[in-house]
Amino acid sequence: MPNSSSRSLPPVFVCLHFLGGSTHEWADVSGRLNGDARCLALDLPGFGEAADDTGYGVAAMADAVIEQIRAEELERWFLVGHSMGAKVALAVARRVEDGEAGLLGLAGLVLLAGSPPSPEPMEEERRQAMIAWIGSDPDTRHAEAKSFIANNVGAPLPPAKMRSAVADVLKAAPAAWTAWLETGSREDWCHRIGVLRTPALIVSGSEDADLGPAAQTCLMAPHLAHHRLVVLEGAKHLLPMERSEAVAALLAGEAMAAMPAMPTAPPIPDAYRALIASPRVNHRLREALAERGRPDDPAYQPVALDAVELAILRAVVDRVLPQQGPARIDIAARIDARLARDDSDGWRFAALPPDRDAYRAGLRSLDGEACARRQCRFLSLDGATRDEILAAAAGRELAGTGLDAEQMALWFEDLRADVVQIALAHPATLARIGFSGIGAGGDREPEGFRQFGIDRREPWEPAAPDKAAR
């Protein structure tokens, strides 16, 4: 992240194009920035002026982008990726966050109709048709390139812009075009990207069939700890060309956006903090409570699950045990950490596979059921429909992917127990319910209780917040 002094510098937007695009697609966007920022548009290997360059995989493209960024010695810059370019931008951002040399100053990500870290959703018939025509005779290629551009905009482009876009498609190396469709778009970077903490803006067209709002919500957003989604109504896929004014305005807004706030943990009342710090609590329990009370990292990197599975688990946890306010316990991340440590209470239902396998299968099953019922992913569903699917799982009515209906019910029972256990173990929860059992004995000898009976408290016992207010 840039330091505070670098925020006064004019930003540089490093812009990466879509499949078949080039630096030309950013011309209107750059012109609308009015000199307040610089648009550094790059040609990816196999496209535009780099049509003769090789290295068509996501990693190779990221290498090419990083080489050019290093050469520019940028101080404050944003990565802007469109479609194919967004997947490359994510790979670059991961390397930045991993501390790779020469890449300081990344201030944010802007992902336009982005290809996600997971394999890109695309009908196989259309994929094969696109592969077939790129190597056809010139007349066929020109007609198909024109159709490709026309089908990816919500309204016809001006003639000059249309000619430029078609020329870019025709200039692309057929090998690069084919490699992206056959391999690059299918590469699975979910675990490698994990969750990025760089602030991100996701932009999609409401009429984009493959990479519209639903795909961005379900496949892109889970990989971004700090993000917001903007939907351009009536737009399709080629946003920098069909909505250049809106895209330029969004870029300018991102350049001035405030950094995301640091996360906060649920507050622990002073009286309960004093009890935790007192000699009545042994040091091992005190350390455990301190660990449980720390704020969760919004960019927690899942280990047992992938980022999309973690996002689904967070959505399930929100239905099982809703939390109010911005200060929350990231119960899903804590479950993932436990699964990664293989740390459990020592038992499980005999009918279930090991916990990590059961969780992954259960979450995939919920996602599959959402597709079967509503033709969309679980993360796109509203709360009521999520509840319907969870009720079906609890009622032994949902046979999933790798788990039968009985196993799904047992897994969901385990999940609910895990959620409640983690929530109740948090010191803020213990304070809220007035649990003072933590003060039963210090390091030297048990202190015990002397007052027994309803509403009778020891002098050292803090009252539960609701009773303290009476």
Side-chain angles (χ1 to χ4, degrees):
M1 292 296 173
N3 58 38
S4 57
S5 63
S6 70
R7 286 189 61 78
S8 62
L9 296 171
V12 176
F13 293 103
V14 180
C15 299
L16 311 179
H17 58 78
F18 70 107
L19 173 68
S22 79
T23 60
H24 296 147
E25 80 159 290
W26 303 102
D28 274 5
V29 173
S30 179
R32 293 178 184 278
L33 291 175
N34 298 320
D36 296 329
R38 180 160 68 97
C39 184
L40 176 61
L42 305 179
D43 284 326
L44 295 170
F47 301 91
E49 297 304 314
D52 293 334
D53 294 349
T54 57
Y56 307 140
V58 174
M61 288 184 173
D63 286 340
V65 171
I66 286 172
E67 181 180 351
Q68 294 180 77
I69 291 172
R70 285 197 179 114
E72 291 283 333
E73 298 183 345
L74 305 177
E75 294 188 62
R76 180 167 178 255
W77 51 286
F78 292 76
L79 262 176
V80 185
H82 176 207
S83 192
M84 174 181 75
K87 190 162 190 168
V88 178
L90 292 169
V92 173
R94 167 45 60 204
R95 288 168 65 174
V96 173
E97 292 195 12
D98 287 348
E100 192 160 323
L103 296 175
L104 296 177
L106 176 61
L109 283 164
V110 181
L111 306 168
L112 306 166
S115 180
S118 62
E120 183 178 317
M122 181 185 290
E123 293 178 355
E124 189 59 29
E125 183 178 352
R126 182 151 52 87
R127 185 192 303 271
Q128 294 305 319
M130 290 172 66
I131 292 171
W133 66 253
I134 196 64
S136 297
D137 62 89
D139 288 344
T140 299
R141 288 185 70 211
H142 186 274
E144 292 289 352
K146 189 174 181 179
S147 177
F148 171 71
I149 297 298
N151 290 337
N152 277 286
V153 292
L157 296 176
K161 190 178 289 188
M162 183 67 173
R163 287 193 296 271
S164 176
V166 171
D168 274 344
V169 174
L170 296 175
K171 190 172 185 177
W177 174 279
T178 302
W180 176 257
L181 291 168
E182 288 187 337
T183 306
S185 65
R186 288 171 160 155
E187 290 184 30
D188 190 342
W189 281 67
C190 278
H191 281 287
R192 179 70 185 91
I193 300 300
V195 178
L196 297 168
R197 64 178 67 254
T198 303
L201 173 67
I202 304 171
V203 187
S204 67
S206 65
E207 305 309 305
D208 191 334
D210 292 328
L211 294 172
Q216 301 304 320
T217 296
C218 298
L219 301 178
M220 182 69 80
H223 294 275
L224 304 162
H226 308 287
H227 71 271
R228 64 188 181 98
L229 172 64
V230 172
V231 179
L232 300 183
E233 293 297 330
K236 282 192 175 181
H237 189 65
L238 302 184
L239 303 179
M241 289 186 287
E242 57 177 314
R243 295 295 178 86
S244 57
E245 184 175 4
V247 170
L250 289 168
L251 293 185
E254 283 303 290
M256 301 303 295
M259 298 296 289
M262 294 299 291
T264 58
I268 304 168
D270 291 342
Y272 206 79
R273 285 188 179 278
L275 172 59
I276 293 172
S278 75
R280 300 191 65 90
V281 178
N282 72 70
H283 75 280
R284 293 185 302 278
L285 179 55
R286 186 179 301 114
E287 290 170 359
L289 291 169
E291 180 63 28
R292 296 174 198 167
R294 287 196 180 96
D296 292 299
D297 182 359
Y300 169 80
Q301 299 295 325
V303 179
L305 308 175
D306 66 28
V308 173
E309 291 165 344
L310 179 63
I312 297 171
L313 180 55
R314 283 178 172 140
V316 172
V317 169
D318 283 344
R319 306 312 299 172
V320 170
L321 187 65
Q323 300 182 65
Q324 305 299 320
R328 300 160 61 89
I329 309 167
D330 192 346
I331 295 173
R334 296 182 182 212
I335 289 174
D336 177 82
R338 179 183 68 77
L339 295 173
R341 296 191 304 267
D342 197 22
D343 178 17
S344 70
D345 52 15
W347 76 279
R348 62 181 169 86
F349 289 109
L352 289 178
D355 288 350
R356 182 189 299 216
D357 296 338
Y359 261 91
R360 296 202 70 185
L363 295 168
R364 287 196 301 270
S365 298
L366 297 179
D367 213 24
E369 184 69 9
C371 291
R373 290 189 180 210
R374 296 290 189 270
Q375 292 73 54
C376 63
R377 310 291 290 266
F378 189 83
L379 291 173
S380 290
L381 300 176
D382 58 29
T385 310
R386 291 177 182 179
D387 288 347
E388 289 177 11
I389 291 176
L390 295 176
R396 292 168 169 76
E397 300 169 3
L398 196 165
T401 305
L403 299 178
D404 61 27
E406 176 69 18
Q407 290 174 312
M408 281 295 293
L410 295 177
W411 166 74
F412 189 48
E413 183 177 333
D414 258 355
L415 181 149
R416 284 174 287 169
D418 288 342
V419 169
V420 172
Q421 182 184 62
I422 290 171
L424 281 175
H426 196 283
T429 309
L430 297 176
R432 189 161 60 248
I433 66 176
F435 179 76
S436 54
I438 63 171
D443 288 322
R444 296 184 179 179
E445 58 185 34
E447 298 285 349
F449 288 80
R450 293 181 175 83
Q451 299 293 329
F452 301 96
I454 297 175
D455 287 336
R456 297 184 66 185
R457 299 201 318 271
E458 304 285 343
W460 53 266
E461 283 187 90
D466 61 331
K467 292 189 177 182
R470 291 176 186 174

